[in-house]
Amino acid sequence: MPLVPPYIESLRPYEAGRTIESVRRQYGLTRIVKLASNENPLGASPKAIEAMTRSLAGLNLYPNGGLDLRQVLADEFELKVDNVIAGSGSEGIMSNIIRAFLCDEDEVLTTEAAFIGFQVLARSRGITYRTVPYRDWHYDLEALASQINEHTKIIYLANPNNPTGTIFTRHQFDEFYRHVPERVLIILDEAYFEYARDNARYPDSMQYRYDNVITLRTFSKAYGLAGARIGYGFAHEELIRNLLKVKLPFEPSTPAQAAGIAALADHEFLHRSLELNARGLRFLTEELQNLGMMVVPSQANFLMTVLPTEEDASRTFEELLAQGVVVRPLKAFGLPNCLRVSTGTDEDNRFCVEAWGRVNAKNIGAVGAG
Ligand SMILES: Cc1ncc(COP(=O)(O)O)c(C=O)c1O
């Protein structure tokens, strides 16, 4: 038996988007716009920063496992604390779910090219990971339902989805749910919930709780706290009780929890973030389409463009990089001919479109509508 299991040896580690510093070093540029990791271009809520700073006075003490935040969330959503978990980002909770509920013979079912963080976590468990293709860049819930078998243990659905930015509706979910046995756990990843919640077609999963569904949300996106690592989940108390057994007892950290609680109360910051994003999404969609790009309409804080070939995508990525614009190539997700662009400030978005225009003009005929 080798020291490293074959499924770990063959695992492709999570690759984060390029950092501003590494691009600056490579190209010697003064202005770099990073639109690669779906971060909040406004920074973090000032109230969250203030609360986090205040919390530093208690840094010598161990945290309370997110209990304060769980209580605040329980009050806000009219649940019991026992229905809420807080962790080091929603990915931290995802990793607990995988650890708590998957046995060796179990299978995970999701869409092809699902959120890379989930792919890496699930594959690292050495179980069978099965996918069905997208239909028109949306989850094919019908096909997913038809693939459920006696080994299926977890179904992962992100709504809105990363990297496509698309959503499924309440009706589509209900239709799908009718085919899901109770012994199957659905992870409903709502990392981009806040951006989609005003869309009448978007279902708020807090309005339809099912015992085998765990909803995951995060402070990393609309609340601008990606660096703090703070996320949360809602589920039946039996699920939460078992998740808490495997969660590292002192996650989330005290400053992260303080930031989360304060961010939740900062409605003004959230409102500004959502407004900026809606404007940015409209602008980037229209302008990239004007440049002949195929853009998948998005409900999140990023959009996906589909290029004719993998070469077109990697050349466009490299040439944008050379102009100081960092977008996300999606080869690691499983979509080698696609690029993902996060919304930035209005200036960032303009800078991106101008650079993209220069790149396309240079490659005229080579890169275009896909
Ligand atoms: C769909 C989805 N889920 C979860 C996450 C991770 O969020 P967190 O920072 O809370 O771990 C991301 C981050 O990009 C995401 O896109």
Side-chain angles (χ1 to χ4, degrees):
M1 191 59 185
L3 177 65
V4 181
Y7 54 86
I8 297 291
E9 191 66 61
S10 62
L11 189 67
R12 283 182 61 151
Y14 183 94
E15 274 171 51
R18 287 284 300 267
T19 63
I20 290 180
E21 217 24 70
S22 78
V23 178
R24 199 190 307 284
R25 266 200 308 274
Q26 182 178 353
Y27 292 98
L29 296 164
T30 44
R31 172 141 195 218
I32 290 157
V33 167
K34 185 185 176 215
L35 304 175
S37 302
N38 304 343
E39 293 150 338
N40 192 324
L42 287 182
S45 144
K47 292 192 174 138
I49 295 174
E50 230 177 85
M52 199 168 195
T53 309
R54 267 198 314 275
S55 79
L56 297 181
L59 223 46
N60 57 317
L61 304 175
Y62 280 103
N64 66 1
L67 191 58
D68 301 343
L69 176 58
R70 290 172 66 206
Q71 186 62 62
V72 169
L73 288 164
D75 292 345
E76 171 129 351
F77 290 94
E78 296 176 0
L79 298 166
K80 290 182 282 185
V81 167
D82 298 347
N83 295 116
V84 187
I85 186 168
S88 298
S90 52
E91 264 198 85
I93 303 173
M94 252 183 247
S95 87
N96 295 147
I97 297 171
I98 283 164
R99 215 142 59 86
F101 301 125
L102 281 182
C103 303
D104 291 348
E105 322 70 47
D106 291 339
E107 295 187 4
V108 163
L109 180 60
T110 186
T111 184
E112 68 175 355
F115 166 53
I116 186 82
F118 178 76
Q119 289 195 47
V120 173
L121 281 172
R123 290 182 202 276
S124 73
R125 180 61 186 77
I127 39 78
T128 302
Y129 180 91
R130 293 198 305 123
T131 62
V132 301
Y134 285 115
R135 190 199 284 177
D136 196 19
W137 300 116
H138 288 70
Y139 275 91
D140 188 342
L141 292 175
E142 245 175 73
L144 273 171
S146 75
Q147 291 299 311
I148 297 171
N149 64 30
E150 73 272 22
H151 294 293
T152 307
K153 175 59 101 35
I154 288 180
I155 298 176
Y156 172 78
L157 306 174
N159 199 32
N161 183 43
N162 177 9
T164 59
T166 50
I167 58 168
F168 50 81
T169 64
R170 167 82 192 265
H171 176 69
Q172 287 165 333
F173 181 78
D174 282 344
E175 268 303 298
F176 166 75
Y177 187 77
R178 289 196 304 119
H179 301 278
V180 182
E182 273 174 22
R183 59 172 174 78
V184 175
L185 174 65
I186 300 175
I187 301 179
L188 199 48
D189 182 340
E190 293 184 343
Y192 302 95
F193 162 79
E194 291 82 1
Y195 299 107
R197 67 180 186 186
D198 290 336
N199 181 335
R201 295 178 62 250
Y202 180 70
D204 176 351
S205 69
M206 296 312 291
Q207 305 301 319
Y208 57 103
R209 301 298 319 147
Y210 296 112
D211 288 354
N212 59 340
V213 175
I214 178 158
T215 295
L216 297 182
R217 291 189 184 165
T218 183
F219 289 100
S220 296
K221 310 294 175 184
Y223 294 98
L225 291 173
R229 311 309 304 131
I230 181 84
Y232 55 98
F234 301 111
H236 189 276
E237 48 260 44
E238 274 306 292
L239 291 177
I240 298 292
R241 192 171 64 78
N242 283 290
L243 275 179
L244 290 174
K245 291 180 192 167
V246 304
K247 185 179 85 65
L248 291 178
F250 300 121
E251 282 182 1
S253 73
T254 306
Q257 170 167 252
I261 292 171
L264 212 52
D266 194 346
H267 302 291
E268 193 270 334
F269 178 80
L270 180 64
H271 182 72
R272 271 196 297 132
S273 299
L274 299 187
E275 273 200 345
L276 174 66
N277 180 65
R279 200 162 61 235
L281 214 47
R282 258 195 319 273
F283 175 79
L284 287 172
T285 304
E286 280 171 19
E287 294 298 323
L288 291 181
Q289 281 172 341
N290 288 342
L291 290 174
M293 306 304 298
M294 190 210 155
V295 176
V296 179
S298 168
Q299 308 294 324
N301 67 343
F302 57 85
L303 55 78
M304 189 173 88
T305 66
V306 186
L307 289 96
T309 66
E310 177 174 348
E311 289 71 48
D312 292 326
S314 55
R315 187 179 54 224
T316 302
F317 168 72
E318 290 297 338
E319 292 182 358
L320 284 171
L321 209 55
Q323 307 242 1
V325 176
V326 192
V327 300
R328 185 65 176 263
L330 295 175
K331 187 172 178 170
F333 279 65
L335 297 173
N337 63 324
C338 297
L339 297 173
R340 196 191 64 196
V341 189
S342 312
T343 59
T345 61
D346 294 331
E347 272 175 23
D348 293 345
N349 298 336
R350 264 195 303 277
F351 188 77
C352 168
V353 165
E354 282 162 15
W356 211 305
R358 287 191 293 274
V359 166
N360 278 12
K362 190 168 150 232
N363 296 313
I364 208 122
V367 178

